[in-house]
Amino acid sequence: MVSKKGKEKVDCLEIDENLSLDEKRVLDWMMLPNDIVIQLFSCLNYCDRASLSSTCRLWRILHKSPCLWQALDLRPHKCNTAAAALLVSRCQNLQKLRFYGHESANTIINLQARNLREINGDCCKKMTTATLYMLVA
């Protein structure tokens, strides 16, 4: 398979009837249905979603879909104040949050996720009682 600017050569014979190949048998990824793009986004972490959303205007809009921001796993990435500031506008519907370390706990308070139902913190032995109270609030 060969990738070129949002297109990929497709060798398989079966193609969804909603998608079309050009004369060189290249599939235009921008023609994917919105629900498929959102499903793809749901398989990625928030950093990879952000990178992919910079591909085009439509994918940037789909990246903001509330269903993608109901659960957030920050464990693979260090969550600092700058990262939290970028995420805050997407966390209104956040229900599940996973993070790593007490430093991240201090930062995720800034997410202002009012609908959280589940918080899971790994390696938080040094988390203070004050931080715990702020998370619960």
Side-chain angles (χ1 to χ4, degrees), residues 4 12 14 17-18 25 28 48 54 77 82 120-122 134:
K4 287 186 179 181
C12 61
E14 293 184 33
E17 61 275 358
N18 296 324
R25 295 185 47 83
D28 185 352
D48 292 337
S54 67
H77 307 281
N120 185 333
D122 295 344
M134 291 294 289

Side-chain angles (χ1 to χ4, degrees), residues 42-136:
S42 72
C43 297
L44 303 172
N45 64 49
Y46 78 95
C47 290
D48 292 337
R49 283 185 212 160
S51 295
L52 192 57
S53 72
S54 67
T55 304
C56 68
R57 184 175 295 145
L58 175 61
W59 285 15
R60 178 169 297 231
I61 292 167
L62 295 176
H63 170 258
K64 295 177 182 178
S65 177
C67 65
L68 291 173
W69 297 98
Q70 292 178 352
L72 185 59
D73 189 351
L74 298 172
R75 291 175 302 164
H77 307 281
K78 186 171 183 172
C79 184
N80 55 28
T81 306
L86 294 172
L87 292 170
V88 83
S89 66
R90 292 172 174 79
C91 290
Q92 291 87 11
N93 296 321
L94 189 62
Q95 295 177 8
K96 291 182 178 182
L97 177 64
R98 298 185 79 166
F99 64 94
Y100 181 86
H102 69 281
E103 298 91 358
S104 292
N106 291 328
T107 302
I108 62 172
I109 291 169
N110 298 322
L111 292 179
Q112 301 173 10
R114 306 272 187 242
N115 295 317
L116 272 177
R117 301 289 177 254
E118 182 180 326
I119 300 173
N120 185 333
D122 295 344
C123 296
C124 294
K125 290 179 184 177
K126 295 181 182 178
M127 186 174 6
T128 66
T129 304
T131 301
L132 186 58
Y133 283 137
M134 291 294 289
L135 284 173
V136 172

Side-chain angles (χ1 to χ4, degrees), residues 16 18-19 29-38 59 62:
D16 186 327
N18 296 324
L19 302 175
W29 288 99
M30 299 304 137
M31 298 302 294
L32 286 173
N34 292 348
D35 56 337
I36 299 297
V37 175
I38 290 173
W59 285 15
L62 295 176

